[in-house]
Amino acid sequence: MAINNNTPCLVCGSATTPVAKAESFVCTFCGSSEQGRSKCPEGHFICEACQGKTALRVIEDLALSTTSKDPLAIAELMMAHPGLPMLGCEHASLVAGAFMAALKNSPYGSGKITNDDIHEAFKRTTKQAVSGHCGLTGVCGIAPAVGACFSIFLGARCGSDSEQKITMEAVIRVSRSIADLTGPSCCKAYARAAITEASNLFGERFGIILPVRSGAALCRHSGKHPHGCREEKCPYYQKPSRDIFAEAKFVPGMVCTS
Ligand SMILES: [Zn+2]
Ligand SMILES: [Zn+2]
């Protein structure tokens, strides 16, 4: 059983509802069916095997198996795995994996982007994504992760012409979008911004439109931030809902007659 009775959903934190008899649920991450005894209102379920995986393994498996063409949706699913820490360079691999997977699944990547290319993006990313170095050198590992995606797509290498230039410009644009969200740092905000920026660049440079879902993703992780979430300063912050009339003298439906 992946989600125990009376415990919050491991994916979204919602209160789960116990079911009288074990039911078959589909794993949110791998799609396999397994018996469970409680339901998340949003339909999440994590099988035993996926619960036991490391975040990097889940990121790699999802990148290779997903059929989604939306890099942000793939990234959000990867972020939902409970093993992913709030901060850390797993997010660089997450960006590389989500973006390469969406590209592979798009009509433009069909037959051109392979699982070997996705593995190559992971390899290149982990060489330059070193935890804490966003503060120590000013380079967040997510920037070279996007660079790896562009480089693989273009076949860029040291000594190549416009391929290398376009790749470098992509890294600059992504670094800019990351710096705009800093103070303090947040790998999840960086990942979302980098994917959006990289998708925009693909449209501008190559006329390739990846269907990034409309509207900013709302973050479910702000309470876990070790340095304090930027809250209203972050475009992905989900404000707590409140009754806007609770402290107001105005009563809806009341008409002023004075
Ligand atoms: Zn859930
Ligand atoms: Zn699973």
Side-chain angles (χ1 to χ4, degrees):
M1 187 177 71
I3 302 174
N4 298 320
N5 291 352
N6 306 319
T7 55
C9 168
L10 292 171
V11 176
C12 70
S14 301
T16 60
T17 311
V19 291
K21 270 177 71 180
E23 286 181 24
S24 185
F25 294 102
V26 175
C27 177
T28 305
F29 291 93
C30 71
S32 66
S33 293
E34 197 171 278
Q35 296 282 300
R37 288 191 177 273
S38 58
K39 263 184 187 170
C40 164
E42 296 196 37
H44 301 127
F45 182 80
I46 312 185
C47 75
E48 292 280 4
C50 285
Q51 277 194 65
K53 289 179 189 172
T54 64
L56 275 177
R57 188 61 205 265
V58 169
I59 287 166
E60 191 176 312
D61 288 352
L62 268 175
L64 298 173
S65 65
T66 182
T67 55
S68 173
K69 298 177 179 65
D70 179 343
L72 206 49
I74 300 169
E76 289 296 332
L77 181 56
M78 291 169 171
M79 281 189 218
H81 190 269
L84 182 70
M86 182 65 200
L87 306 177
C89 274
E90 294 89 344
H91 292 82
S93 294
L94 180 152
V95 167
F99 198 81
M100 289 298 286
L103 195 57
K104 185 188 91 171
N105 297 334
S106 76
Y108 319 100
S110 176
K112 293 187 202 113
I113 300 290
T114 64
N115 283 349
D116 283 348
D117 292 322
I118 295 176
H119 283 299
E120 178 63 20
F122 285 133
K123 249 191 258 175
R124 293 186 192 187
T125 298
T126 48
K127 275 192 184 275
Q128 287 194 310
V130 184
S131 279
H133 278 59
C134 50
L136 298 174
T137 64
V139 179
C140 165
I142 289 172
V146 170
C149 298
F150 273 73
S151 171
I152 289 165
F153 179 76
L154 289 165
R157 63 186 189 288
C158 180
S160 59
D161 193 330
S162 56
E163 298 88 349
Q164 185 172 342
K165 184 178 169 69
I166 293 169
T167 300
M168 286 178 150
E169 283 174 352
V171 172
I172 290 167
R173 282 267 293 265
V174 166
S175 290
R176 176 77 265 162
S177 69
I178 288 171
D180 287 345
L181 291 173
T182 299
S185 54
C186 179
C187 306
K188 289 185 168 48
Y190 295 170
R192 295 179 179 117
I195 285 173
T196 306
E197 191 66 37
S199 302
N200 291 342
L201 270 164
F202 254 69
E204 286 172 28
R205 281 285 184 184
F206 316 124
I208 291 177
I209 308 299
L210 294 176
V212 175
R213 67 181 175 191
S214 59
L218 287 177
C219 188
R220 290 168 164 169
H221 311 277
S222 53
K224 295 187 280 182
H225 202 304
H227 308 137
C229 171
R230 301 173 76 232
E231 299 191 344
E232 270 85 359
K233 286 194 281 179
C234 177
Y236 310 109
Y237 178 60
Q238 186 166 22
K239 287 184 188 177
S241 59
R242 66 184 180 95
D243 181 356
I244 59 168
F245 296 115
E247 290 164 22
K249 288 180 184 157
F250 172 77
V251 177
M254 201 168 72
V255 178
C256 177
T257 53
S258 60

